[in-house]
Amino acid sequence: MNSNNKSRTRPIVAANVAAWAFLLTVGFGHVAHAQQWPTRAIKIIEPFPAGVARDGDTRFFAEKLTGILGQQVYVENRPGAAGRIAGQAAVKAAPDGYTFNMMGTTDILTKYLYKNSYDMEGDLVAVTMIKTAPAGIVVRPSLPAKSLRDLISLAKDHPGEMTYGSTGVGGFLHVNALLFSSITNTKFGHVPYASGNPVTDVLGGHIDMMFDGMGPGYLGNIKAGKLRALAVTGEKRTSALPDVPTFIESGVPAYDTHILYGMFAPKGTPESIVVKMQQAISQILQEPTLRRRWESEGANPVGSTSAEFAARIRSESERWGKVIRANNIKVE
């Protein structure tokens, strides 16, 4: 090599060495940051308004996490747009381990319904699935259907005449009903509600039924005889409604939907931080008081790993994507 070539090579080599040194410094700094985490307050974005049951659960976790992690963990409520405002805020947050987001089943549907929306699988990191709750069908007591088989028979004799309420086109209650219809070859009338709770109109006899998660809002009315639960999902009956058969018992085993609830972080959040948060939440989920309360409400504490939760989100996304495409549901 002549002297001119050597002179041209030296600055290139020097530049490459400097670039690698910079990347190594950044990499080691990133690792050190993750190992020291947390060193300041942590924010959990909650898509529901303050005062509702979901917000209460999130605040419970924030309080317990504060004690475990040694830094203040606080809740920021970002309600509206069926959870999309909170979801977008989480996607745009820095992936430094100081912003997390509580999300649920409805958020899985977002990418199929809205243009330029976030994707739970691609834009966020699944930290842990916190709990699941069975779904089911409740009807007004005066409806002449005492069992799930009765309902299916009635629907086939009167296609489209019985009505169900939902919180809007493309929401979980809507696609849940469509999935049931496709499995049982039945048809129902859809009554979407832009605001308010459709269950009020089931109680009032204005609509016939709801396809929803069997949460605390239903249990009291079912036990009081104001609503009739025909079936719940799951391999066995829920302890909250021991007299209500499962869909498996009722002859519709393919209908197996659940409400999911868990924590996510912005894409790029260090894996070591995700693991530490997952382990802290799993510790909280062992508390007997919390487990008894959730189980009395029909919910199941989980505490999955990040990989397990990501796999569940992927399978749920595939299921609901098929339902939405098959019914050509579009919101925007």
Side-chain angles (χ1 to χ4, degrees):
M1 181 181 292
N2 61 37
S3 59
N4 288 336
N5 287 339
K6 290 180 180 178
S7 63
R8 284 195 298 268
T9 302
R10 288 192 191 99
I12 294 174
V13 172
N16 286 339
V17 170
W20 279 109
F22 172 76
L23 291 174
L24 287 172
T25 300
V26 171
F28 284 129
H30 194 58
V31 171
H33 166 76
Q35 290 175 340
Q36 295 168 3
W37 179 89
T39 59
R40 55 186 171 87
I42 299 169
K43 174 172 65 180
I44 301 177
I45 301 173
E46 168 56 50
F48 283 81
V52 303
R54 251 286 298 273
D55 172 69
D57 283 340
T58 302
R59 290 179 185 277
F60 174 85
F61 276 94
E63 179 184 351
K64 295 297 182 180
L65 286 168
T66 296
I68 294 172
L69 298 175
Q71 293 289 340
Q72 180 67 41
V73 180
Y74 66 97
V75 177
E76 179 180 282
N77 297 89
R78 299 289 294 271
R84 296 195 309 283
I85 292 174
Q88 291 287 9
V91 169
K92 294 176 181 178
D96 56 7
Y98 293 95
T99 300
F100 293 85
N101 187 22
M102 291 295 194
M103 305 180 82
T105 305
T106 300
D107 299 281
I108 299 173
L109 313 177
T110 299
K111 70 175 182 179
Y112 298 108
L113 300 171
Y114 301 93
K115 295 178 181 178
N116 304 316
S117 184
Y118 58 86
D119 178 356
M120 287 178 74
E121 297 174 75
D123 297 330
L124 295 162
V125 177
V127 177
T128 183
M129 180 160 55
I130 293 175
K131 71 175 178 179
T132 66
I137 300 176
V138 292
V139 302
R140 57 181 173 86
S142 57
L143 189 73
K146 306 298 183 183
S147 68
L148 189 63
R149 289 184 174 88
D150 289 347
L151 180 71
I152 294 171
S153 177
L154 196 60
K156 290 183 175 180
D157 290 340
H158 305 277
E161 292 184 20
M162 286 188 289
T163 56
Y164 68 92
S166 83
T167 51
V169 173
F172 177 70
L173 277 64
H174 182 205
V175 298
N176 210 8
L178 293 175
L179 177 62
F180 179 81
S181 292
S182 67
I183 291 171
T184 58
N185 193 29
T186 53
K187 184 178 181 181
F188 301 91
H190 178 210
V191 183
Y193 288 70
S195 61
N197 191 341
V199 73
T200 302
D201 276 359
V202 183
L203 290 165
H206 305 298
I207 56 176
D208 295 310
M209 69 192 81
M210 294 274 289
F211 296 78
D212 199 1
M214 295 292 96
Y218 290 97
L219 299 181
N221 286 312
I222 293 169
K223 292 175 180 178
K226 297 178 181 179
L227 292 172
R228 180 186 300 132
L230 299 183
V232 295
T233 57
E235 294 182 357
K236 60 182 181 179
R237 298 187 183 193
T238 172
S239 59
L241 295 169
D243 296 328
V244 179
T246 66
F247 282 88
I248 297 172
E249 293 176 85
S250 303
V252 189
Y255 187 76
D256 187 27
T257 70
H258 287 77
I259 303 292
L260 309 180
Y261 168 63
M263 180 175 278
F264 290 78
K267 183 179 180 180
T269 300
E271 182 180 358
S272 61
I273 291 177
V274 170
V275 171
K276 286 180 182 178
M277 179 60 84
Q278 184 272 330
Q279 291 173 342
I281 290 175
S282 291
Q283 182 178 333
I284 297 169
L285 289 172
Q286 300 308 311
E287 294 199 8
T289 302
L290 177 68
R291 298 184 72 87
R292 282 195 297 269
R293 177 167 67 83
W294 277 4
E295 288 166 2
S296 72
E297 297 171 352
N300 304 301
V302 183
S304 68
T305 66
S306 175
E308 290 167 343
F309 193 20
R312 181 64 180 270
I313 292 296
R314 187 160 52 251
S315 66
E316 291 290 312
S317 178
E318 291 171 358
R319 183 223 298 262
W320 296 121
K322 289 178 182 177
V323 174
I324 291 169
R325 287 191 294 268
N327 290 276
N328 195 31
I329 302 173
K330 295 180 181 179
V331 179
E332 291 181 343

